[in-house]
Amino acid sequence: MSQAALNPLDSMMSRFDEATKILGLDESTYNVLKYPQKSVMVHLPIMMDNGKVQVFEGYRVVHNGYLGPSKGGIRYSMDVNQDEVKALAAWMTWKCAVVGIPYGGGKGGIKCDPRSMSKGELERLTRAYTAAMFDVFGPDKDIPAPDMGTGQQEMAWLMDEYSKMKGFSSPAVVTGKPLVLGGSLGRVEATGRGVMVSTRSALAKLGINPIGATCAVQGFGNVGSISAKLIASQGLRIVAISDISGAYYNADGIDVDDAITYRDASNGTLDGYKKATKISNNDLLTLNVDVLVPAAMEDQITADNANNVKAKLIVEGANGPTSSNADAILNKKGIMVVPDILANAGGVTVSYFEWVQNRLGYFWTEERVNRRADRVMKQAFEGVYQASKKYGVSMRIAAYIVAIDKVASTMKLRGIY
Ligand code: NAD
C-alpha cells in the first residue's frame, strides 16, 4: 500500500461523514449507523495435507440489518483483517440501499492464501468457517456470497455444510452457487455487466460516444475480465488490461476473449501475454484513455497518483479502489467517478435475484435476469445522478447520500429501544 493510501475503513468513514453532514443527519442516527451491529472473529484449526494443524483467522461483520438480512461476500486473502471487513460490510449496506434491494450489509473473510492451498484444505477451511458462523448465517439473517479468492466451489461447500447442520437443504443461505445447486443464470457475469451498464449511462451523461472510446481495465479476475469483455461489446476499445503479474497495453485494442483464453490456460494469470506491451500497474492507471475501470482491489488511486490520472470517467468495479484523499483531486480535474457502491452493485442485485428464485423454487431465464438487473442498475444510476445535481456533489457523495438517507429513514420508522 502506498504512503498516501488510507485504511479502507478511514476512506469509507470520511465519505460517510461528508454525506451525513450534507444530509444534516442527527447525532443519534449518525452514531447508530457508524458502527457495525455485529462483529465476529474466530480461530479455525485446520488439518493441513502435511499432517500439521494450522490455525486461521476468520471474520464476519454484520454492519446493518434495517433494510433486511445482511448480505456480503467472503474474501480469502492474506490481507484480510477486521478493519477491512468492517469497511467492506458498511459498503454493502450502502450498496444494497443505493440499488434498492431489501438487504442490509455484511462481509466476511479468512486470512489465508488460497492459491497455495490444496482443494482439500480449502474445503476443510470453508466447512470449518461455516460451522463457526452457523449462528450468524441464515436465509433470513445473513447471506454470504463470493468475493476475492472465493467462487462457486466455496459457496457450494458452505451451502452443503450449513444444510447438513440444519438437517435440510437450504440453498438460500448463500448466493453465487453453481447453477445445479440453485445458482442463478447471469450471476457470474452480473458484476461486470453492471459495470458495463454504468459505463454506458455515464458516457451518455458526458456526451462521449462509446464507439471508438478507449478503456483501460485494472484486474482480470471475475469483475475485470467480464467488465472488459462487455465494455468491448459496446464498441469501446480496451487498450490495457492487468492482473497481479503486471499490465498489458496495446493501442490497437486487446482481444479480450483471447486474453481470457490465455489466462485460463496459464494458471489464471496473464503472465507472459505476448499480444501487448508490458507496462506497470501504475502506468495503466495513468494512461490517456476515456474510461478507467479499476477492478482489482482497494486503494489503487490515491493522493500519490490521482493527479496523473487522465481518464475522463472512472467506473469502480472493485470495492474501494480510490482512497478518500484522492476524491478531491479527481473532482478538481473534472473526472466523473461512478463509485463502487453503485458501479459494482450488479453482483449483489443478481445475488438478490438468486435468493428470490431459491425461495420461490422457480428459476428465471438469463434474459429475464439480465433485463431486470439492467433496469435496476440504470434506475440506480439515474437516482444518484439526480442527487448529485440536487446537492451539487460528486457521484460518490450523492450515492452515499441516497443510501444513508434510505437506511436512516427506515431506522427511524422501525424505532430504537
Ligand atoms: P478475483 O479474485 O476474481 O480477481 C482479482 C483480480 O485482481 C485478479 O486478476 C488479480 O490478479 C488482480 N490483482 C490482484 N492484485 C493486483 C494488483 N496489485 N494489480 C493489478 N491486479 C491485481 O476478484 P473479483 O471477484 O474480480 O473482485 C475484484 C474486486 O471487485 C474486489 O475489490 C471485490 O471486492 C470487488 N467486487 C467483486 C464482486 C464479484 O461479484 N465478484 C462484486 C462486487 C465487487
Side-chain angles (χ1 to χ4, degrees), residues 160-213:
D160 183 70
E161 191 62 30
Y162 182 87
S163 298
K164 278 189 177 129
M165 292 179 77
K166 266 297 199 212
F168 53 85
S169 209
S170 184
V173 71
V174 59
T175 61
K177 298 179 294 294
L179 265 187
V180 282
L181 291 187
S184 176
L185 289 166
R187 174 62 187 90
V188 173
E189 299 80 16
T191 306
R193 191 174 171 86
V195 170
M196 177 272 282
V197 172
S198 302
T199 304
R200 276 211 67 122
S201 302
L203 287 175
K205 297 290 183 199
L206 293 171
I208 298 175
N209 185 350
I211 310 292

Side-chain angles (χ1 to χ4, degrees), residues 220 225-226 229 255-265 270:
F220 209 63
S225 65
I226 292 167
K229 183 182 158 120
D255 178 341
V256 180
D257 281 327
D258 178 71
I260 290 175
T261 308
Y262 179 89
R263 176 201 66 188
D264 292 345
L270 291 165

Side-chain angles (χ1 to χ4, degrees), residues 75-76 88 92 95 107 115 145-150 187-192 217-225 242-247 263 268-270 281-282 294-298 300 316-321 340 343-348 351:
R75 178 173 290 196
Y76 286 4
L88 291 164
M92 287 306 297
K95 193 182 296 189
K107 202 81 181 189
R115 295 178 70 89
D147 191 68
M148 267 170 83
T150 60
R187 174 62 187 90
V188 173
E189 299 80 16
T191 306
V217 181
Q218 184 196 42
F220 209 63
N222 171 280
V223 182
S225 65
S242 75
D243 70 2
I244 194 78
S245 71
R263 176 201 66 188
T269 88
L270 291 165
N281 250 308
N282 201 44
M297 56 190 297
E298 293 104 70
Q300 297 301 297
E316 295 185 337
N319 287 310
D340 44 12
N344 70 36
V348 75
S351 271

